[in-house]
Amino acid sequence: MKKIFIAFLLVALAGLPTIISARDGYGAAGCGLGAVVIAENKKVHQVIAATVNGFSGNQTFGISTGTLNCKTAGVSEKQRQQQIFVHVNYRLLEQEFARGNGERVGALASLMGCKDSAAFGRVGKEKFATLFEANTPDSFLDRMRSEVSSDARLVSSCGI
């Protein structure tokens, strides 16, 4: 069974580039314990790193937690930053959205990738009752994300 697994890895890795960008912090085997233990980026080393990752099943943990050379700056990390910001600033966001502008409205617009914080604030003011209807930070954030993806002004401003 091990020979089949290693042969499969050799075939899979043969098609991958020998050098993966240094900014990724890992080679062709991907992030995980193998990337931490085996830093060299030669094919044979990457096969060993992939084997370590495969047998220990640690890549999922690394990706979920941002450890083991796995990066978490993707969508889930951005959503987590938005969630933390909204939870910490919920009542102040509610006050600022009632006015249609404010420092926290601008910060949330930025966290959501929106360049035009004024349009973001105007939409928030127009949809205030709907956005804050359930009176919870998570509900507000879900509804705001929905508005950002469905409102024509925000779609162009937020690059969605």
Side-chain angles (χ1 to χ4, degrees):
M1 183 69 174
K2 282 185 179 181
K3 289 181 181 179
I4 294 171
F5 181 72
I6 291 172
F8 171 77
L9 286 175
L10 284 172
V11 171
L13 290 175
L16 294 173
T18 304
I19 298 173
I20 302 295
S21 172
R23 69 177 167 77
D24 291 334
Y26 53 81
C31 65
L33 185 60
V36 173
V37 175
I38 300 162
E40 291 189 52
N41 201 10
K42 295 179 181 172
K43 283 187 182 183
V44 69
H45 293 112
Q46 290 303 298
V47 170
I48 295 167
T51 304
V52 168
N53 288 342
F55 281 121
S56 63
N58 62 70
Q59 279 182 314
T60 304
F61 173 78
I63 292 167
S64 300
T65 61
T67 59
L68 302 173
N69 281 347
C70 297
K71 309 291 185 242
T72 60
V75 174
S76 63
E77 180 65 20
K78 290 178 184 178
Q79 290 176 345
R80 182 164 163 70
Q81 290 171 352
Q82 294 166 7
Q83 184 179 29
I84 291 168
F85 181 82
V86 167
H87 274 264
V88 170
N89 295 289
Y90 181 70
R91 292 294 167 209
L92 296 168
L93 280 166
E94 187 175 26
Q95 293 170 8
E96 290 183 8
F97 272 109
R99 290 191 318 262
N101 61 38
E103 183 179 340
R104 286 161 198 83
V105 168
L108 182 59
S110 178
L111 283 172
M112 296 184 85
C114 300
K115 294 177 185 111
D116 186 356
S117 63
F120 187 81
R122 281 191 299 275
V123 169
K125 183 177 181 178
E126 291 168 10
K127 304 287 182 163
F128 180 84
T130 304
L131 292 172
F132 291 94
E133 180 179 41
N135 202 27
T136 67
D138 290 329
S139 174
F140 160 75
L141 186 56
D142 288 341
R143 291 173 184 194
M144 195 67 215
R145 286 177 180 151
S146 178
E147 284 300 323
V148 166
S149 63
S150 64
D151 186 278
R153 295 167 289 184
L154 295 182
V155 168
S156 62
S157 166
C158 301
I160 294 174

